[in-house]
Amino acid sequence: MIRADEAQGIITGSVSPGASEVCKIADCLGRVLAADIPAPRDLPLFDNSSMDGFALRTGDITSATRESPVHLKLSGELPAGTWTHETLRPGHAMRIMTGAPIPPGADAVAEQELTESDNGSVRIFSTFAAGRNIRKRGESLSAGALALRKGLRLSPAAVGSLASMGISQVEVYRRPTVALVCTGSEVVDLDHTPSPGQIWNSNAFTLRGALQNCGMEVVDLGIVADSKEQLTDRIREALACDAVVTSGGVSVGKYDLVLEVLKSLGVEIEFWKLNIKPGMPMAFGVSKGKARHVPVFALPGNPVSAMVTFDQFVRPGLEKLSGIESPERRLRIKATLEEPIQKKDGKRHFIRGIARNAGGGIVVTTTGTQSSGVLMSLVKANCLIILSEESGSLNKGDVVEIELL
Ligand code: AMP
Ligand code: MG
């Protein structure tokens, strides 16, 4: 049995990204950059005003006070989207809108709220430093500087920043295909009425959703009975994808055949059994073909175990596969327990919790029964309470670490 940290290290150490392709930025949300992006030009493209107000020369207003304002003559107007070559003359100001270019000669913008104006002139009531309310050309990025780094997953803000630089297409990693194989002779599709002893395939939906949330292209290979022959055929087919996720059949029961089948197909098992709860029977292996390596995540069938192991171990592996340079652990924060938790074993526990703000701090309760078959415990949860291997039972009021889901 290996520790969770060690397992995470093994997974991220054995997975690497695949090929890249060029993609229009409109289709790039959630994709991962396969090359650094230098800024092609200065950003902003030109000096411009950050306020609606009056462009002026600060040399003209050094004596301005509330009692004795400086009067400047208005010469022209600069809406956003226009351009002027006309130099602002001493003693003059130009009305300017947010985003409009600063006219030559001007070195500050007085925000409208601090001025009084009529048709022909504007009164300025205090002095300003040069540069006030001016967004300088290149202040956000200068041409040639590294704008976005290879390995970045493109968020809406990152896609927008590409547009702001005039970049319409980028090189991104191909979206990995992940085969999903749900095993178990008791598991049936939704269009079947379960016979006595059978259950519906909920893992197909939880895992498919989790894979989609990671930006994967899901290849659902359906349900396979606990039969060596059928498992061998289906998993062989699955190995044509970039990664494989299976559920069920990986524990120590007589009909848990997944591990044996994986080995018979040449998958090198990197670990089996983790010192965690829930999710102990998880296995991870790599099919090392000549052309490429295919990681295989064999998850336990219990619905909560499958989801928790996906979250903690599969997700970081798939992030690496997608090209994310160094997948970051989910942010952990501290919260105060509102109820005691019993823990006697030396495993790492992932307890489904509900965290909320309460008078200056974050408090957390469990979602109730923590049986690994109770999917509702995850439906209600907004966090996982992480109890380390070393931790014992906890009391109400103790501080624990949580990861927000
Ligand atoms: P196993 O990991 O095969 O020992 O299965 C553990 C438990 O998870 C058993 O109660 C199974 O019936 C249940 N289970 C296995 N596969 C699924 C599935 N695809 N959807 C829902 N429950 C499942
Ligand atoms: Mg089973």
Side-chain angles (χ1 to χ4, degrees):
M1 227 158 14
I2 69 166
R3 283 175 66 100
D5 304 327
E6 204 187 325
Q8 281 156 337
I10 291 173
I11 291 170
T12 46
S14 5
V15 179
S16 48
S20 60
E21 62 191 0
V22 172
C23 190
K24 286 205 164 37
I25 68 162
D27 304 319
C28 271
L29 185 64
R31 304 292 295 273
V32 179
L33 283 177
D36 286 343
I37 306 283
R41 45 182 75 88
D42 288 336
L43 205 70
L45 296 165
F46 48 88
D47 292 358
N48 69 92
S49 177
S50 64
M51 297 290 276
D52 293 322
F54 297 91
L56 49 75
R57 311 169 73 107
T58 50
D60 285 344
I61 58 161
T62 48
S63 68
T65 60
R66 174 126 294 273
E67 296 71 36
S68 139
V70 168
H71 292 243
L72 299 172
K73 274 205 184 116
L74 279 177
S75 59
E77 200 175 86
L78 285 165
T82 56
W83 188 262
T84 180
H85 295 287
E86 187 192 326
T87 300
L88 182 70
R89 281 166 291 144
H92 286 69
M94 280 188 206
R95 188 183 281 277
I96 191 167
M97 315 308 152
T98 305
I102 303 297
D107 64 357
V109 172
E111 51 269 54
Q112 197 162 301
E113 295 81 347
L114 301 184
T115 65
E116 280 173 17
S117 62
D118 50 40
N119 285 339
S121 73
V122 55
R123 288 176 295 286
I124 310 291
F125 296 97
S126 66
T127 59
F128 302 139
R132 183 179 177 96
N133 296 322
I134 294 181
R135 300 188 284 218
K136 293 294 284 180
R137 169 179 178 164
E139 78 175 18
S140 147
L141 273 171
S142 52
L146 180 62
L148 302 177
R149 202 175 280 283
K150 173 183 172 182
L152 176 79
R153 188 191 285 281
L154 292 168
S155 63
V159 177
S161 78
L162 289 168
S164 75
M165 294 184 277
I167 297 172
S168 59
Q169 54 182 32
V170 285
E171 196 183 334
V172 290
Y173 288 104
R174 262 190 38 231
R175 201 191 281 282
T177 55
V178 182
L180 177 58
V181 181
C182 291
T183 79
S185 297
E186 76 281 30
V187 183
V188 296
D189 270 329
L190 271 182
D191 52 5
H192 280 69
T193 305
S195 310
Q198 293 187 320
I199 57 167
W200 278 301
N201 186 7
S202 61
N203 289 352
F205 292 87
T206 52
L207 293 174
R208 167 191 281 269
L211 286 165
Q212 285 171 337
N213 277 348
C214 291
M216 300 296 120
E217 190 79 48
V218 183
V219 179
D220 190 345
L221 294 181
I223 300 166
V224 193
D226 297 314
S227 127
K228 237 180 257 181
E229 294 69 32
Q230 291 179 41
L231 280 167
T232 305
D233 286 351
R234 204 69 62 88
I235 292 174
R236 188 183 287 122
E237 191 183 337
L239 288 170
C241 288
D242 297 316
V244 177
V245 172
T246 67
S247 95
V250 77
S251 193
V252 294
K254 187 175 168 200
Y255 296 100
D256 289 329
L257 305 168
V258 170
L259 209 63
E260 191 185 328
V261 167
L262 287 175
K263 284 181 191 159
S264 76
L265 287 167
V267 175
E268 291 179 24
I269 304 301
E270 305 283 340
F271 66 75
W272 177 44
K273 289 189 179 169
L274 293 168
N275 192 28
I276 60 170
K277 189 176 175 185
M280 186 276 282
M282 178 189 172
F284 171 71
V286 181
S287 167
K288 297 182 177 167
K290 280 198 196 76
R292 60 208 183 95
H293 287 188
V294 178
V296 180
F297 303 90
L299 308 183
N302 267 312
V304 176
S305 312
M307 290 240 72
V308 167
T309 49
F310 186 97
D311 181 71
Q312 294 291 315
F313 304 99
V314 184
R315 193 174 45 82
L318 295 179
E319 285 179 356
K320 194 80 191 294
L321 187 69
S322 320
I324 294 177
E325 211 84 322
S326 41
E328 294 210 349
R329 281 271 188 76
R330 211 180 248 133
L331 202 61
R332 287 207 183 156
I333 55 176
K334 296 207 184 302
T336 304
L337 267 180
E338 291 197 290
E339 64 183 288
I341 297 179
Q342 298 297 320
K343 178 177 183 292
K344 294 192 191 71
D345 58 18
K347 294 181 173 181
R348 182 176 301 196
H349 285 212
F350 301 96
I351 293 167
R352 281 73 72 203
I354 302 167
R356 63 187 173 86
N357 284 309
I362 297 168
V363 295
V364 66
T365 56
T366 74
T367 53
T369 172
Q370 294 292 307
S371 157
S372 56
V374 181
L375 196 50
M376 277 301 157
S377 71
L378 260 174
V379 175
K380 291 183 214 156
N382 65 2
C383 68
L384 289 176
I385 304 168
I386 317 275
L387 304 186
S388 74
E389 291 80 350
E390 292 73 26
S391 160
S393 292
L394 294 162
N395 298 312
K396 181 177 173 179
D398 283 350
V399 173
V400 288
E401 286 201 311
I402 63 172
E403 286 184 14
L404 295 178
L405 291 171

